[in-house]
Amino acid sequence: MNSRSAAGQLSTISFIMFRTTLFPRTMLVAVSSTRGRMLCTTAKGSKLRHQIQQHTEVSRDHLTPEIALHLITPSCELWKCKDQAQVPFSDPYWAFYWPGGQAVARYLLDNPKTVCGFHVLDVGSGSGACAIAAAKAGAQSVTANDIDPVAGEAILLNCSLNQVNVNVSLNDMIGKTCFEWDIILLGDVLYDTEFAQRLQPWIKSLQNAGKTIFVGDPGRHAMNVIPEGNLQLLATYSLPPQTNLENRGFSTAFVWKIL
Ligand SMILES: C[S@@+](CC[C@H](N)C(=O)[O-])C[C@H]1O[C@@H](n2cnc3c(N)ncnc32)[C@H](O)[C@@H]1O
């Protein structure tokens, strides 16, 4: 790929990812999924899943190739699409595997004892990759949480691809006690200062309640909401070239534990 086409693709991706106000919707719906019946939800869900399959490709071109994901890649029409009207999804964050999420998932797969036997909540799950990694690592239960209903359907598809059982919740959990879970995963959710400021007191309250919290991040400014003294660095990963391209030059991602 020459640098000109790479730049063109980058601007298209940015257009898709950042074009509207962030996260205007909240749905109070919880969908439980188990292997074999995870794709039998509503007609609307079925239509969304069809659209996701149509506009993405199954990719393993990331830090966790053992996890297959429906993603928008350079081979997809939407990668090059310049016409907003042709994009069937609003803010398809779930269609990209973010650097912080890749780092958390890699860490769980390489350190399964971290989650094995525990109840795990993946907040801002997107494609569901961190939740899938936790399930593969032997977590007793895993809930993938995202407020985007399309992400919910993408997570179901991705769980099916990877043959894991994960519960999907579309509730907004920010501020909730989360007593059902031992471990909270935050894969690249500190990407925006306003959202990070909303998360910060909640992260603190979860930590005070004894939860283990893992954060994945490539070095974004919004990480500053968590004081350095409250972070323990667990792992550093070099990102693959395609992830660099999609993320404006971030070449490394870190996994932190909140102290
Ligand atoms: C940057 S993406 C990260 C996705 C995934 N963790 C990864 O690393 O690939 C952030 C995700 O957070 C979700 N999100 C935003 N606000 C949320 C909220 N209040 N509760 C749960 N998820 C939220 C978005 O829909 C989006 O899928």
Side-chain angles (χ1 to χ4, degrees):
M1 180 191 307
N2 64 38
S3 59
R4 211 166 150 196
S5 63
Q9 283 159 357
L10 241 186
S11 65
T12 307
I13 286 295
S14 308
F15 164 73
I16 293 171
M17 293 173 85
F18 300 109
R19 72 201 154 76
T20 61
T21 313
L22 292 176
F23 320 124
R25 301 165 308 278
T26 302
M27 285 186 60
L28 296 174
V29 180
V31 181
S32 274
S33 58
T34 54
R35 194 179 302 177
R37 65 182 174 86
M38 61 171 59
L39 297 180
C40 308
T41 51
T42 60
K44 190 174 173 206
S46 161
K47 187 177 167 207
L48 283 172
R49 289 192 298 275
H50 178 69
Q51 282 182 315
I52 292 167
Q53 285 170 310
Q54 216 181 350
H55 291 287
T56 60
E57 77 161 350
V58 174
S59 172
R60 294 179 185 269
D61 184 11
H62 45 69
L63 264 188
T64 58
E66 44 289 70
I67 298 177
L69 297 169
H70 288 275
L71 298 174
I72 294 176
T73 72
S75 326
C76 302
E77 286 287 308
L78 285 187
W79 183 272
K80 299 172 213 89
C81 176
K82 302 253 185 256
D83 179 3
Q84 172 79 39
Q86 308 261 320
V87 181
F89 311 111
S90 171
D91 298 326
Y93 282 33
W94 54 267
F96 301 89
Y97 190 5
W98 293 60
Q102 294 193 31
V104 169
R106 184 68 268 153
Y107 183 76
L108 300 186
L109 292 171
D110 291 346
N111 301 275
K113 282 190 186 147
T114 317
V115 286
C116 190
F118 290 105
H119 298 283
V120 177
L121 174 66
D122 177 26
V123 178
S125 194
S127 65
C130 295
I132 291 167
K136 278 182 175 282
Q140 189 170 334
S141 78
V142 184
T143 301
N145 168 238
D146 203 294
I147 55 168
D148 178 356
V150 188
E153 300 300 335
I155 293 166
L156 293 179
L157 278 174
N158 288 330
C159 287
S160 178
L161 261 183
N162 293 282
Q163 300 192 305
V164 294
N165 290 329
V166 166
N167 301 307
V168 178
S169 164
L170 300 181
N171 292 323
D172 191 338
M173 304 272 191
I174 316 295
K176 303 283 189 303
T177 55
C178 296
F179 62 86
E180 304 97 311
W181 295 283
D182 311 301
I183 296 175
I184 315 291
L185 308 178
L186 300 173
D188 224 323
V189 294
L190 296 164
Y191 54 89
D192 167 82
T193 303
E194 201 181 313
F195 188 45
Q197 279 166 350
R198 191 178 159 223
L199 285 170
Q200 189 270 335
W202 181 58
I203 292 173
K204 193 164 176 30
S205 70
L206 292 175
Q207 203 271 339
N208 287 341
K211 312 289 178 196
T212 301
I213 306 165
F214 296 113
V215 179
D217 180 81
R220 297 188 197 282
H221 181 69
M223 266 299 282
N224 290 340
V225 299
I226 303 177
E228 226 173 282
N230 293 4
L231 291 169
Q232 179 190 355
L233 181 62
L234 298 179
T236 303
Y237 297 104
S238 291
L239 294 166
Q242 182 55 36
T243 309
N244 285 343
L245 180 65
E246 287 173 19
N247 289 277
R248 297 174 183 273
F250 280 124
S251 56
T252 312
F254 309 92
V255 180
W256 305 92
K257 184 176 172 185
I258 306 279
L259 300 173

